Amino acid sequence: MGMWRSLYECHHVQTHIVKQLKYLNTIPSTDPTSEIHRQSTLQLEVEVQKWHLAFCNLVKAQRDYIESLTGWLRLSLFQFGNTPLSKKTRQDSTIYSFCEEWHLVLDRIPDKVASEGIKSFLTVMHAIVVQQAEERKQKKKSESAFKELEKKVIELRSLERKYGPFSIPEAWSGGGTRSKDPVAVKREKVEVLRAKAEEEKAKHEKSVSITRAMTMNNLQMGLPHVFETVTGFANVCIHAFESLCNEAKSPRGVHDVKRILP
């Protein structure tokens, strides 16, 4: 019970803190996601995965413990003992009844709600990770397009130094085919690449905006929800176990209960 009280107090404070996110300045930023931010997001996703697994394992371990304990008592006190189940002693009845109630309490606690709350936040984090990866991919496309443009511009400048900066009229070659001005041809290619590079740049800038908006919105909504969920779960556990312990408050009952607590 003390564990759940500590968890409740901890998660209650965390809930209060993350609710302050709604007061953050939400003016869109044009700064792209840095490598540090991307690695931090990946690490947070991993930690939420561990949190979800640890929570599920914690609840399962407690249920497995009381299930094994109840089964052991059933075998040792009633099936292999001298007193049949229908005529069990008061002491045996107190211990066994307490374990059965403990078992029922653990079966009734809403761990699925808390588990799904953490899992839902994990989905939120994964969406941010995917969007940051898309932004990074678009950044590489933009950089690649501008590198290709820079390469072709250098080639154009070289041709202009060779033939002059102005286009020359197209002429007919001796074989009867029309020869194109190499400078004009190269300039056309450069303009096509320039347009493509600007298009990729615009896509990257849009991707940055999407990432920023998604990150802020998902965290503002996801963090308070997940901590409210686990805080509520811890509170339910406190009251459930307090009620269970209050039913075993008799001096003999307390002594017997202490013998079987983990």
Side-chain angles (χ1 to χ4, degrees):
M1 189 168 62
M3 177 189 70
W4 293 114
R5 191 178 301 280
S6 296
L7 284 175
Y8 170 79
E9 293 172 354
C10 178
H11 291 322
H12 182 72
V13 172
Q14 290 170 328
T15 301
H16 175 73
I17 293 173
V18 297
K19 282 184 176 180
Q20 307 309 308
L21 282 172
K22 64 182 179 181
Y23 299 115
L24 288 180
N25 187 353
T26 57
I27 298 176
S29 172
T30 57
D31 294 335
T33 303
S34 67
E35 184 61 20
I36 292 177
H37 283 157
R38 195 180 70 83
Q39 291 297 331
S40 297
T41 305
L42 288 170
Q43 184 61 35
L44 180 55
E45 182 185 24
V46 171
E47 294 304 323
V48 175
Q49 287 176 333
K50 292 179 180 178
W51 183 19
H52 180 258
L53 180 61
F55 176 83
C56 294
N57 288 340
L58 171 63
V59 176
K60 183 178 183 301
Q62 292 210 347
R63 283 180 173 151
D64 288 347
Y65 173 82
I66 190 58
E67 183 177 353
S68 297
L69 181 59
T70 305
W72 173 77
L73 286 172
R74 186 184 300 113
L75 290 173
S76 60
L77 295 178
F78 308 125
Q79 294 192 19
F80 298 138
N82 296 324
T83 306
L85 184 61
S86 59
K87 298 179 181 179
K88 56 185 177 296
T89 65
R90 183 179 179 185
Q91 177 182 344
D92 294 342
S93 176
T94 300
I95 298 175
Y96 185 75
S97 296
F98 176 81
C99 287
E100 282 191 320
E101 288 299 319
W102 189 359
H103 199 177
L104 288 174
V105 165
L106 286 173
D107 281 341
R108 291 170 182 165
I109 58 175
D111 59 294
K112 293 295 183 184
V113 176
S115 174
E116 288 301 318
I118 301 174
K119 194 173 181 180
S120 176
F121 183 63
L122 181 58
T123 301
V124 165
M125 287 306 308
H126 184 67
I128 296 175
V129 168
V130 170
Q131 176 55 36
Q132 288 182 348
E134 179 61 29
E135 178 192 330
R136 190 184 189 204
K137 179 181 177 182
Q138 192 56 52
K139 178 184 178 182
K140 289 182 177 181
K141 284 185 176 181
S142 178
E143 290 174 346
S144 176
F146 274 97
K147 284 181 180 179
E148 183 66 17
L149 173 62
E150 183 180 3
K151 177 182 176 182
K152 296 302 179 183
V153 167
I154 292 174
E155 293 177 358
L156 174 62
R157 297 293 178 261
S158 177
L159 284 175
E160 286 177 341
R161 286 193 297 270
K162 181 177 181 181
Y163 296 103
F166 304 104
S167 299
I168 59 176
E170 294 182 351
W172 293 92
S173 65
T177 58
R178 179 177 294 179
S179 60
K180 294 185 177 181
D181 175 17
V183 175
V185 171
K186 181 62 70 175
R187 188 173 290 125
E188 288 177 3
K189 291 181 178 180
V190 166
E191 291 307 314
V192 169
L193 288 174
R194 192 186 307 279
K196 180 181 178 182
E198 291 298 329
E199 180 183 357
E200 295 298 339
K201 179 183 177 182
K203 288 181 179 179
H204 177 231
E205 291 174 348
K206 182 179 180 180
S207 183
V208 169
S209 299
I210 292 174
T211 301
R212 288 283 177 167
M214 175 184 289
T215 301
M216 183 61 68
N217 292 336
N218 285 7
L219 292 181
Q220 283 180 330
M221 296 179 63
L223 278 171
H225 174 71
V226 68
F227 282 114
E228 284 174 350
T229 300
V230 294
T231 300
F233 174 75
N235 193 38
V236 168
C237 289
I238 290 172
H239 287 90
F241 287 119
E242 279 182 344
S243 177
L244 177 64
C245 289
N246 287 337
E247 293 178 3
K249 281 291 186 178
S250 66
R252 183 59 182 169
V254 171
H255 175 71
D256 291 335
V257 168
K258 287 183 177 179
R259 289 165 53 195
I260 60 176
L261 287 175

